Amino acid sequence: MTQFTRRDVVAGLSAIATSGLAAPALAQAAYPSRPITMVIPFAAGGPTDTVGRLIAQAMSADLGQPVVVENVGGAGGTLGAQRVAGARPDGYSILLHHIGMATIPTLYRRLAYDPVNGFETLGLVTEVPMTLIARRNIEANSLAELVALIRQRGENLNYANAGIGAASHLCGLLLMKAVDTRMTTVPYRGTGPAMNDLVAGTVDIMCDQTTNTTEQIRAGTVRAFAVTTEQRVAALPDLPTSAQGGLPGFEVSVWHGLYAPKGTPAPIVARLNQALVKALQDEGIARRFADLGTAPVAAARATPEIHRQFWQADIAKWRPLIQAAGQFAD
Ligand code: MLT
């Protein structure tokens, strides 16, 4: 019988490993082999959370592994982004973020992560109109009356938002510029909790995405004054645009995209993009998005390349505007 020494065994194993003969046996388990964490950089119950949970559920079905949502809210969406930028680039940590990815690089001059080069793009998700709303007993019945009230009460009115860099913050800045009056801003970890306070009447005004406001507007728990897009939204046909209500130029909508940490291998990026595109084509998602005043992006636009170009162009668009306003987070 042939006797093998320890040295023979080691030499044999390393020859097999380098020859590729052992590939099937030694190969990594196919991706994904365990649950994936999707970080939402705002509180549960808000618009980013709503979009993220719908997408996560549909992606889970395609990937054959749970995509588990983790809300890491605070600091205008930078804490959640930091979590994913610093995670292992192995496809098990992804980030669903919004327009803040384009404004944060200029608004925040001291961040513990690279907000421009710290991510791989996985694809655009949706673009959502915003609505200007207030507690239901606000002393105004039209946009013109609300503008008059803001000018009269100024900092005695509270404006809720999700922190510097949040969409609700940007919308508030545009509103205050349009009416040339400051209000007192009240930051939350997301507009989910801010909405609770608006419904309870403990804050006065908010501007937020239709994905968070449509059902409250329909239920009459808040009062709506305008949608901040050029066209009305089909889900809220009675709500005038800001231009129709007398504030032309007060326009903003919010795009969302999916990201992985920089250095995530290309085959994993491609697999995640494939699952995202499938989710965007899901009829249930399209119906739910439509009911909330939005739509999934067309599959042709949901590529990592188009997402990167769109994101970088938006950073370049916002930079001079933020610098001119001179309002930074630090
Ligand atoms: C925002 O204002 O940026 C969002 O509403 C944040 C959120 O999803 O809560």
Side-chain angles (χ1 to χ4, degrees):
M1 207 191 352
T2 314
Q3 293 291 312
F4 290 107
T5 63
R6 188 169 171 276
R7 189 191 294 170
D8 290 334
V9 173
V10 171
L13 283 178
S14 71
I16 290 171
T18 52
S19 72
L21 285 175
L26 297 180
Q28 301 267 325
Y31 172 83
S33 62
R34 58 184 170 86
I36 295 167
T37 299
M38 178 190 281
V39 170
I40 303 290
F42 296 100
T48 318
D49 185 65
T50 297
V51 167
R53 280 176 197 272
L54 287 166
I55 294 293
Q57 200 181 1
M59 286 181 72
S60 300
D62 184 58
L63 290 164
Q65 288 288 340
V67 177
V68 181
V69 165
E70 188 179 344
N71 297 90
V72 184
T78 59
L79 298 183
Q82 180 181 331
R83 167 80 68 87
V84 174
R88 284 173 63 130
D90 57 7
Y92 291 99
S93 298
I94 57 177
L95 171 73
L96 189 121
H97 211 314
H98 64 16
I99 190 171
M101 288 292 282
T103 57
I104 283 166
T106 311
L107 280 170
Y108 286 76
R109 291 178 289 192
R110 275 188 287 272
L111 284 170
Y113 68 98
D114 185 335
V116 180
N117 299 306
F119 303 91
E120 304 291 344
T121 47
L122 301 177
L124 292 166
V125 175
T126 185
E127 190 158 356
V128 189
M130 299 193 85
T131 48
L132 178 58
I133 58 176
R135 59 179 159 77
R136 70 180 148 178
N137 57 354
I138 194 97
E139 299 79 355
N141 289 308
S142 64
L143 183 55
E145 286 182 19
L146 185 71
V147 168
L149 189 76
I150 293 172
R151 289 195 174 128
Q152 183 201 335
R153 300 231 188 123
E155 293 189 330
N156 291 323
L157 286 173
N158 288 324
Y159 177 88
N161 69 27
I164 295 179
S168 44
H169 168 250
L170 295 175
C171 195
L173 287 183
L174 294 176
L175 173 65
M176 290 186 239
K177 187 159 183 274
V179 301
D180 198 19
T181 308
R182 292 192 67 78
M183 290 179 275
T184 300
T185 53
V186 183
Y188 291 77
R189 294 175 93 81
T191 49
M195 179 64 91
N196 293 341
D197 280 2
L198 194 73
V199 170
T202 49
V203 285
D204 300 307
I205 297 175
M206 184 161 77
C207 183
D208 199 18
Q209 299 163 63
T210 55
T211 35
N212 198 34
T213 63
T214 300
E215 287 174 350
Q216 302 289 356
I217 293 170
R218 283 191 193 133
T221 52
V222 296
R223 189 169 300 167
F225 293 92
V227 56
T228 64
T229 41
E230 219 178 303
Q231 308 287 333
R232 289 187 184 217
V233 250
L236 295 165
D238 298 335
L239 193 60
T241 66
S242 36
Q244 288 167 342
L247 270 189
F250 172 46
E251 275 175 18
V252 57
S253 58
V254 182
W255 58 271
H256 294 75
L258 198 63
Y259 304 81
K262 185 80 186 168
T264 302
I268 293 181
V269 167
R271 182 68 189 93
L272 287 165
N273 170 259
Q274 187 186 19
L276 172 63
V277 169
K278 197 111 180 262
L280 296 174
Q281 291 171 326
D282 182 292
E283 277 183 22
I285 291 208
R287 258 197 313 274
R288 185 70 186 128
F289 274 18
D291 196 41
L292 295 175
T294 184
V297 301
R301 281 190 69 224
T303 67
E305 297 72 28
I306 290 180
H307 180 186
R308 176 162 292 279
Q309 285 161 16
F310 182 86
W311 173 33
Q312 299 297 322
D314 218 35
I315 291 175
K317 180 185 116 182
W318 281 100
R319 184 170 291 129
L321 300 174
I322 294 167
Q323 283 171 339
Q327 296 213 8
F328 301 97
D330 44 15

